[in-house]
Amino acid sequence: MCGISGLVGTGDYQSQLNLMLLSQTHRGPDFTGTFFDNGFIALGHNRLSIIDLSQNANQPFNDISGRYIMVYNGEIYNYLELKESLKNDYNFKTSSDSEVLLAAFIKYGKDCLKMLNGMFSFVIWDNLKKELFAARDRFGIKPFYYYKNKDVFIFSSEIKAIHSTGVNKKPNEIVWSNYFANGSYGLPNQTFWEDIHQLPGSHYLELSDNQLKLTKWYDFETNVSRHSNINDYEEVKDIYKNLLIDSISLRFRADVPVGFNVSGGLDSSALLALANVSQKDISKIEAFTFYTGDNKYDELPWVEQIIARYKSPLNKVLLSSNEVPDLSYFISKIQDEPFGGIPTLAYSKLFASASNKGIKVLLDGQGMDEQLAGYDYYRNNSKSTIQGVKKSPFRKNILHASFIENISKNEYPMPFKSTLKNLQYRDLFYTKIPRALRFNDRVSMAYSTELRVPFLDYRLVEFGFSLSAELKIKNNQGKWLLRDIITNYVDSNVSYTPKRPLQTPQREWLGNDLKDFVQHHIDKIKSSEYKSWFNDKEIDLEWNKYLAGDNQSSFHIWQLVNFSMLST
């Protein structure tokens, strides 16, 4: 929805705040607002108007008394219901969800967080007590970064905004070494840059007298445990289906056009099918899919089959290999941290296409695999985090011996008795979902579009997660419950087809069409200030092996390219 930024301290922060706002303009080009409490705080907001398009809903937003000032990024999908419950306690002057959020905070304080169904990252400044409160949604869909020293606290929606204030951009060697050695993108509070932290999802932050306190406000494990075992399978299906329909319906609340991102898989099919139930007719809602012109990877035949049933206008967006270099540079700067490779570039083009058509909101099927055990490694209780991989995609040998000393593989909590649920929990809060949400937030906001993920509605995730393995995995297929639910809406070759990893010809392109592009970045690393991190001979050996046909995995090659673009 937007970009938020601010500095808390005794300095004059106007010029620094302006630089932060400039660096995040893509997140909210519709309005740029500021608030200054001299000697205490500077707040900034880049607005992408989605609900209540009037200037009355611009931010920073203050209550009638002027005591509370808020900057907010996200959407509260149940804002209409909350507004109805608050109408006797607050005199609303807009039809925005922003004002509902502020009103809920004024009445309930931090307890309001548990009432919110949405994605959010917000800051509220108490102008009377000179205290700051910030919070992030349950799964960390919307970002919140911060930096703190003895003089100032700086926060923003993107890392680049903090660096724009003059904070030194120095790589966090521990996070980078773990990335190269085992593919980790860091823990929920970490980033790839020293002294830049994340507020983890499910947490809030309080700042008073320069003292910082972080608190976890959402207890997923306890909420899951409250779901009682239901023995009647048809009852389980009905509950889950109704949750799906309601989750999708809520995410159609917008005062701007809404579209779909679609692939040829089960999750996109479920999204389209149940949106049709929720909205009665989706034949005029634009859908977007990408392709590369390579039949081994493209999913157009399945996408076209699904779309034919619901007759939504389909926008087919082509990514060609010659676009990759320039687009990689652009997306690397947008991401601030490593991203997933050429599929992320292809995905970014969907948002560019939607933006060009005036569509500000896109719905996507992210989050189903983690709650209903869709990945192949769930079926054999593997500790892998990558679908469809038999051999490790990581090459620790390319690192210098001294740099390897930084490596300490992350250990993740295991709060459940079930091995399967512990793997799902890891993917939801520590690995797959956090990195996918970061990739996707940046590529959507790069083109001033908002991504909504109905399958990460917390009610849906809690219920789906709580179910027994037998309801998730059957006939060696994950997401069985979802397959069963949508069998009445789509053909069986969609509902019961095995999961296909979403792919592009990255392996082939990097070793052929983009060979010179890769070589350029390998050479840059060898002459960069970070050359001591690497073993040049091993890099050359791996690259030559790759060119000779040892290209079952291309991730280690992409890691080098991506690092070069971010650091040199």
Side-chain angles (χ1 to χ4, degrees):
M1 171 186 167
C2 300
I4 62 175
S5 52
L7 305 97
V8 183
T10 58
D12 179 359
Y13 301 122
Q14 184 161 350
S15 60
Q16 288 172 297
L17 183 66
N18 288 339
L19 289 171
M20 296 180 80
L21 290 165
L22 183 62
S23 73
Q24 294 187 150
T25 302
H26 51 279
R27 297 191 70 92
D30 296 331
F31 180 79
T32 300
T34 59
F35 167 83
F36 296 94
D37 185 357
N38 293 330
F40 292 100
I41 193 170
L43 291 174
H45 190 262
N46 301 98
R47 186 182 182 199
L48 182 66
S49 305
I50 302 293
I51 294 174
D52 187 347
L53 310 184
S54 74
Q55 63 180 11
N56 293 332
N58 289 339
Q59 296 181 45
F61 195 93
N62 61 277
D63 73 312
I64 295 171
S65 73
R67 174 176 175 177
Y68 298 102
I69 299 92
M70 179 183 71
V71 288
Y72 153 56
N73 171 28
E75 302 290 352
I76 308 302
Y77 301 117
N78 63 333
Y79 76 102
L80 294 177
E81 292 78 8
L82 285 173
K83 186 174 185 177
E84 180 66 21
S85 71
L86 291 163
K87 65 181 182 182
N88 295 326
D89 299 290
Y90 187 93
N91 183 22
F92 290 95
K93 60 183 180 182
T94 76
S95 57
S96 69
D97 63 321
S98 308
E99 189 172 23
V100 174
L101 171 57
L102 184 56
F105 178 81
I106 291 171
K107 180 172 183 180
Y108 298 107
K110 63 192 71 169
D111 289 339
C112 77
L113 296 170
K114 297 175 183 178
M115 305 172 186
L116 307 177
N117 186 346
M119 55 181 185
F120 53 85
S121 175
F122 67 88
V123 165
I124 295 176
W125 174 250
D126 185 331
N127 212 14
L128 179 63
K129 292 184 176 180
K130 306 302 182 187
E131 294 175 348
L132 180 142
F133 178 86
R136 198 172 176 203
D137 64 69
R138 293 168 178 84
F139 300 111
I141 300 171
K142 284 296 160 184
F144 187 99
Y145 296 101
Y146 68 92
Y147 163 89
K148 184 181 184 302
N149 64 20
K150 63 182 178 62
D151 298 316
V152 66
F153 174 81
I154 308 174
F155 70 87
S156 65
S157 296
E158 296 185 7
I159 292 170
K160 64 177 65 65
I162 296 177
H163 283 143
S164 75
T165 67
V167 172
N168 187 32
K169 186 176 181 180
K170 184 178 179 183
N172 183 326
E173 294 192 10
I174 293 175
V175 177
W176 277 106
S177 62
N178 280 313
Y179 168 68
F180 282 112
N182 52 57
S184 169
Y185 286 80
L187 294 171
N189 64 324
Q190 293 179 318
T191 76
F192 282 79
W193 306 103
E194 275 197 8
D195 301 322
I196 308 291
H197 309 281
Q198 289 193 75
L199 176 63
S202 304
H203 284 68
Y204 65 77
L205 172 156
E206 296 169 290
L207 182 71
S208 179
D209 293 327
N210 204 34
Q211 298 300 306
L212 192 63
K213 180 183 177 184
L214 272 65
T215 305
K216 186 176 181 180
W217 67 266
Y218 174 58
D219 188 335
F220 178 75
E221 302 93 300
T222 299
N223 281 279
V224 167
S225 70
R226 289 177 180 149
H227 288 275
S228 57
N229 292 326
I230 303 173
N231 296 321
D232 187 315
Y233 179 60
E234 291 304 316
E235 184 182 355
V236 170
K237 279 177 62 177
D238 285 343
I239 292 172
Y240 196 70
K241 177 183 170 182
N242 289 332
L243 282 171
L244 278 167
I245 291 169
D246 191 54
S247 299
I248 294 168
S249 179
L250 283 175
R251 283 154 183 82
F252 270 95
R253 289 180 170 176
D255 295 329
V256 295
V258 177
F260 295 107
N261 283 340
V262 295
S263 66
L266 174 68
D267 300 347
S268 286
S269 303
L271 179 59
L272 284 170
L274 297 173
N276 200 55
V277 176
S278 162
Q279 302 301 304
K280 306 305 180 186
D281 179 15
I282 61 171
S283 62
K284 293 182 174 60
I285 299 176
E286 302 270 353
F288 298 83
T289 193
F290 71 75
Y291 70 104
T292 63
D294 189 321
N295 293 333
K296 295 197 299 293
Y297 299 99
D298 290 341
E299 296 193 329
L300 274 180
W302 293 280
V303 171
E304 289 170 337
Q305 178 185 337
I306 296 164
I307 288 293
R309 183 160 188 158
Y310 298 105
K311 299 181 173 57
S312 293
L314 179 62
N315 298 270
K316 305 171 189 178
V317 183
L318 174 67
L319 175 72
S320 57
S321 61
N322 61 6
E323 296 177 273
V324 169
D326 287 345
L327 192 54
S328 293
Y329 281 111
F330 174 65
I331 296 299
S332 288
K333 300 308 178 188
I334 284 290
Q335 290 280 340
D336 291 319
E337 298 181 285
F339 64 94
I342 291 176
T344 304
L345 303 181
Y347 193 57
S348 76
K349 291 201 67 179
L350 302 185
F351 297 100
S353 179
S355 181
N356 288 336
K357 298 199 79 166
I359 295 172
K360 281 190 169 185
V361 175
L362 288 172
L363 272 59
D364 191 90
Q366 185 74 45
M368 188 58 71
D369 288 297
E370 293 76 12
Q371 63 184 277
L372 289 185
Y375 296 117
D376 57 4
Y377 54 78
Y378 290 140
R379 299 194 284 277
N380 55 18
N381 289 329
S382 163
K383 289 188 177 181
S384 175
T385 58
I386 302 175
Q387 163 85 5
V389 170
K390 295 179 180 179
K391 180 182 176 183
S392 173
F394 315 121
R395 302 291 187 272
K396 189 162 66 172
N397 56 300
I398 68 173
L399 302 177
H400 193 277
S402 61
F403 193 62
I404 290 174
E405 294 174 2
N406 292 311
I407 297 168
S408 56
K409 194 167 185 178
N410 294 327
E411 296 293 331
Y412 304 111
M414 294 186 287
F416 298 95
K417 294 179 181 178
S418 160
T419 301
L420 172 61
K421 285 184 176 177
N422 283 328
L423 288 173
Q424 291 177 264
Y425 180 81
R426 176 202 66 184
D427 286 356
L428 268 170
F429 290 98
Y430 290 90
T431 56
K432 296 192 79 72
I433 288 296
R435 75 189 185 212
L437 290 174
R438 193 252 294 170
F439 298 168
N440 298 344
D441 172 81
R442 301 307 182 279
V443 294
S444 64
M445 297 308 290
Y447 301 99
S448 306
T449 54
E450 177 176 282
L451 178 65
R452 296 182 175 182
V453 280
F455 296 158
L456 281 179
D457 186 301
Y458 74 95
R459 303 166 302 161
L460 189 69
V461 177
E462 289 173 6
F463 183 75
F465 189 98
S466 74
L467 299 173
S468 64
E470 293 74 24
L471 295 177
K472 300 173 186 176
I473 301 173
K474 187 176 179 181
N475 298 338
N476 203 36
Q477 285 189 320
K479 297 187 288 193
W480 189 261
L481 178 62
L482 181 66
R483 297 177 190 277
D484 219 7
I485 286 172
I486 70 162
T487 189
N488 294 327
Y489 301 95
V490 299
D491 295 336
S492 61
N493 68 329
V494 173
S495 56
Y496 293 110
T497 190
K499 180 175 176 60
R500 297 184 300 272
L502 185 62
Q503 294 184 351
T504 62
Q506 175 168 301
R507 291 182 300 177
E508 294 85 350
W509 284 2
L510 290 180
N512 294 291
D513 306 45
L514 300 172
K515 182 172 68 173
D516 292 342
F517 170 68
V518 174
Q519 187 66 60
H520 168 72
H521 285 290
I522 287 176
D523 292 341
K524 279 184 70 178
I525 289 173
K526 290 179 181 180
S527 60
S528 76
E529 61 183 300
Y530 305 107
K531 61 183 179 181
S532 62
W533 289 11
F534 300 95
N535 185 320
D536 287 0
K537 291 182 179 178
E538 289 295 325
I539 288 179
D540 289 340
L541 178 64
E542 290 293 344
W543 178 223
N544 289 329
K545 284 165 59 178
Y546 188 87
L547 293 175
D550 184 7
N551 65 349
Q552 197 61 35
S553 172
S554 60
F555 186 64
H556 59 297
I557 303 300
W558 173 255
Q559 284 180 307
L560 293 168
V561 171
N562 203 182
F563 175 73
S564 170
M565 288 187 288
L566 283 165
S567 63
T568 59

